[in-house]
């Protein structure tokens, strides 16, 4: 087989979910039918990896020093700050279209065994944001895992110094549309312990 | 969202089997963890699309004027020529490690409705190979589809002029390890019509 083709099939497997068979299929498809577009994909890849940086304000991916969200003054009005583990969490929350405050992206969670501490998560920068005294509500939206919860607790302690009026954590429980009898026991326990009064109209108070 | 990131997610969807969700996952993964390798993938893509050409002899993908197979004189000794629809067919047959002759790649099948005729499949070049009088067996390994079969018949007619000693077509039938009761009726009919005598030792004659 052509050495270039072999190299291409190998390189394509860098992508998660793309194994040797899929990579081979992709390589032949691109060569057979989409050479020009594939070259463009190559250029876009190089450019994106070179140019996408972290917003100096929230550490989300951004083309400029400050991301679109941090450039928008309306995002600062509510005084809400939502802390998430990864940029894809920001994208998910933005898509839900129910939160209009600002964000802070940790790019991971505390994990001493992997050498991820406060510095790697930009917690000093977060501390500086707390110090401005502009945050009225700190929303911790880390993943409901052992590491995510530990990270949320650590940040809540950090926030305690600055007397932030409200520190909340997003709810975990049975996902909407899910079935109680198929959910794992730990989620079910959390869901029971965090039960909330239900009004006569059927809405949760 | 960053415009560059959006462009990247869009571009990644060029790949077959990669939809918006997978593309998003791939983009974040590469940005988060594999920037350098992703840039290399981009460069390999551009280079491969630019530099991989068709072997002048067999039309398979090649880095040079002649591919590795056509440069190997041993491949010409048997006088066998195997005609396939696509370069991935060559890779599959090579992997089976049971054929040691040369190839000719059509890059498709006859399909007048799509404007694919003899010229697009390089049949003039194939004709010239027949004219050399070096082919002792022509093996037609096009796909067992209506178009593939029609293409095989067309090439067999082309070969008839040159009195090639043997013209064969690869067998189709129940795949090894397959089950007779799950195979489609057309394959089963073909398999019955092409039945072969079985010797007492159990091997097909």
């Amino acid at each position: 087989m052509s050495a270039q083709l072999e190299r291409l099939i190998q390189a394509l497997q860098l992508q998660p979910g793309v194994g040797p068979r899929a990579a081979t299929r992709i390589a032949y498809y691109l060569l057979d039918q989409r050479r020009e577009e594939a070259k463009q994909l190559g250029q876009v890849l190089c450019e994106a990896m070179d140019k996408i940086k972290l917003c100096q304000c929230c550490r989300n991916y951004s083309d400029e020093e400050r991301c679109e969200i941090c450039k928008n003054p309306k995002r600062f009005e509510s005084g809400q700050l939502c802390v998430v583990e990864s940029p894809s969490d920001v994208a998910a929350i933005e898509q839900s279209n129910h939160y209009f405050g600002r964000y802070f992206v940790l790019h991971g969670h505390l994990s001493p065994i992997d050498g991820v501490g406060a510095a790697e998560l930009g917690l000093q920068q977060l501390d500086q944001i707390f110090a401005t005294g502009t945050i009225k509500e700190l929303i911790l939206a880390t993943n409901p895992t052992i590491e995510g919860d530990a990270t949320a607790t650590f940040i809540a302690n950090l926030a305690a110094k600055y007397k932030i009026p409200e520190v909340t954590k997003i709810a975990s429980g049975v996902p909407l549309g899910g079935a109680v009898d198929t959910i794992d026991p730990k989620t079910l326990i959390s869901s029971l312990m965090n039960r909330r009064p239900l009004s006569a109209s059927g809405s949760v108070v």
Side-chain angles (χ1 to χ4, degrees), chain A:
Chain A
M1 194 193 279
S2 142
Q4 296 249 24
L5 181 53
E6 255 175 271
R7 212 175 309 140
L8 175 60
I9 292 172
Q10 192 61 43
L12 286 166
Q13 293 175 51
L14 175 66
Q15 303 171 100
V18 176
R21 287 183 81 95
T24 307
R25 196 162 55 100
I26 291 169
Y28 280 118
Y29 170 76
L30 297 179
L31 278 169
D32 287 344
Q33 298 175 39
R34 312 290 285 267
R35 290 213 184 202
E36 274 315 305
E37 290 102 321
K39 269 169 71 178
Q40 276 167 22
L41 166 58
Q43 282 154 5
V44 170
L45 253 174
C46 289
E47 241 181 69
M49 295 303 138
D50 259 343
K51 297 201 180 148
I52 295 177
K53 48 195 165 199
L54 300 190
C55 167
Q56 290 189 335
C57 182
C58 73
R59 303 200 347 142
N60 193 6
Y61 290 134
S62 172
D63 298 338
E64 299 169 57
E65 306 279 281
R66 285 187 135 215
C67 72
E68 289 302 315
I69 293 176
C70 289
K71 276 200 286 192
N72 183 352
K74 283 197 181 157
R75 293 295 195 137
F76 289 71
E77 278 170 12
S78 69
Q80 288 177 309
L81 175 71
C82 180
V83 176
V84 296
E85 290 189 24
S86 75
S88 51
D89 298 332
V90 174
I93 295 173
E94 283 297 294
Q95 251 181 350
S96 75
N97 212 21
H98 261 271
Y99 173 74
F100 307 103
R102 53 194 287 209
Y103 293 93
F104 188 83
V105 182
L106 301 171
H107 289 274
H109 45 240
L110 289 175
S111 178
I113 211 163
D114 302 312
V116 180
E120 285 70 25
L121 302 182
L123 294 190
Q124 205 180 355
Q125 194 178 332
L126 186 59
D127 197 88
Q128 284 165 7
I129 296 173
F130 292 161
T132 61
T134 55
I135 308 300
K136 299 201 187 87
E137 182 183 1
L138 171 65
I139 301 172
L140 296 161
T142 51
N143 292 331
T145 58
I146 293 176
E147 298 87 352
D149 286 343
T151 309
T153 308
F154 188 93
I155 294 173
N157 283 325
L158 207 69
K161 294 194 284 187
Y162 298 101
K163 301 201 175 63
I164 288 172
E166 233 177 327
V167 177
T168 59
K169 188 163 172 297
I170 56 165
S172 47
V174 184
L176 266 68
V180 172
D181 60 357
T182 58
I183 218 76
D184 67 292
K186 282 186 180 163
T187 302
L188 208 50
I189 292 168
S190 158
S191 188
L192 278 167
M193 285 174 60
N194 293 294
R195 65 194 182 277
R196 296 173 59 179
L198 187 70
S199 77
S201 69
S203 65
V204 172
V205 183

